[in-house]
């Protein structure tokens, strides 16, 4: 059972488009609106693979690049999360991901100042002499099972969050977190282990 119809449109959805064909999902999938996939660029099969009984609410956004992938385990709830994958973001089972959470496997712009100037020109749609974008570094993100990520937390490239961990609201996670750990702050620091 799911609220996604055979034609991949969501029941009673205000968004006129169906869920993209390269989004796979298991039984019991709940999708509040197919608009959460409006930022998907990837046309690759299985760009997003969603497990069983996953809930994705309308505030979510899957910004999946040409080579990006995202996987989500079973019984995970995403309520307003922004998933930005140029390479890979993996979210485990039984996770709770709150409003305003951002996960990114790339900086999306070069760090070196001269390269950022080139990038700004490359992204200007009407600039006649647009250069190609500089190469961007990507490092996958992995969220373990039974992880709770609080409102407005940010998970940056290369981070792994261990099973059962909690990321406090507003935390900026720049380094990996072991299992059974609570982190808070900017940059996120361990406040408790259990």
């Amino acid at each position: 059972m799911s609220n996604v119809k055979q034609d991949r449109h969501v029941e009673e959805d205000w968004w006129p488009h169906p869920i993209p064909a390269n989004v796979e999902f298991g039984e019991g999938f709940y999708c509040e609106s197919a608009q959460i996939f409006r930022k998907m660029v990837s046309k690759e099969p299985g760009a997003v693979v969603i497990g069983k009984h996953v809930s994705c609410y309308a505030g979510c956004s899957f910004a999946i690049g040409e080579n990006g992938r995202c996987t989500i385990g079973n019984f995970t709830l995403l309520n307003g999360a922004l998933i930005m994958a140029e390479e890979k973001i993996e979210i485990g089972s039984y996770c709770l991901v709150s409003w305003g959470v951002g996960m990114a496997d790339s900086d999306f712009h070069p760090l070196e100042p001269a390269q950022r100037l080139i990038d700004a020109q490359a992204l200007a749609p009407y600039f006649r002499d647009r250069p190609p974008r500089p190469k961007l570094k990507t490092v996958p993100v992995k969220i373990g099972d039974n992880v709770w990520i609080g409102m407005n937390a940010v998970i940056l490239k290369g981070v792994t969050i261990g099973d059962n961990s909690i990321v406090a609201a507003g935390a900026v996670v720049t380094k990996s977190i072991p299992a059974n750990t609570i982190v808070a702050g900017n940059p996120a620091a361990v406040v408790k282990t259990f």
Side-chain angles (χ1 to χ4, degrees):
M1 182 172 214
S2 174
N3 69 329
V4 180
K5 299 185 283 187
Q6 284 290 108
D7 65 359
R8 300 182 70 85
H9 283 85
V10 175
E11 292 175 357
E12 300 179 23
D13 198 353
W14 59 271
W15 183 253
H17 307 291
I19 292 174
N22 59 345
V23 174
E24 300 173 13
F25 50 88
E27 69 178 72
F29 174 53
Y30 174 80
C31 182
E32 192 168 14
S33 174
Q35 64 81 28
I36 67 175
F37 299 106
R38 73 193 180 284
K39 297 289 185 184
M40 276 191 60
V41 176
S42 176
K43 302 297 182 210
E44 295 295 317
V48 176
V49 177
I50 298 171
K52 297 176 182 178
H53 301 285
V54 169
S55 301
C56 292
Y57 290 87
C60 294
S61 184
F62 287 85
I64 310 299
E66 286 181 17
N67 302 309
R69 292 195 169 306
C70 178
T71 61
I72 301 170
N74 301 325
F75 293 95
T76 284
L77 182 144
L78 296 150
N79 189 14
L82 171 56
I83 310 298
M84 298 172 281
E86 287 297 309
E87 185 177 342
K88 186 169 188 182
I89 293 179
E90 182 179 342
I91 301 169
S93 295
Y94 298 93
C95 293
L96 302 170
V97 184
S98 189
W99 279 101
V101 169
M103 296 182 198
D105 66 358
S106 168
D107 293 322
F108 293 96
H109 300 284
L111 298 179
E112 201 270 322
Q115 292 295 300
R116 282 200 316 274
L117 293 174
I118 295 168
D119 199 42
Q121 293 176 351
L123 293 171
Y126 300 110
F127 181 51
R128 188 180 330 165
D129 300 317
R130 285 174 70 180
R133 289 194 76 188
K135 178 115 172 86
L136 303 175
K137 182 178 181 185
T138 63
V139 186
V141 170
K142 182 175 181 182
I143 311 299
D145 294 334
N146 196 31
V147 171
W148 178 16
I149 303 176
M151 186 184 320
N152 294 324
V154 177
I155 314 300
L156 296 178
K157 73 179 189 298
V159 166
T160 294
I161 298 177
D163 295 348
N164 307 313
S165 289
I166 298 171
V167 176
V172 178
V173 185
T174 60
K175 296 180 180 165
S176 293
I177 299 166
N180 306 305
T181 301
I182 300 174
V183 297
N186 178 7
V190 174
V191 294
K192 184 176 181 180
T193 58
F194 46 90

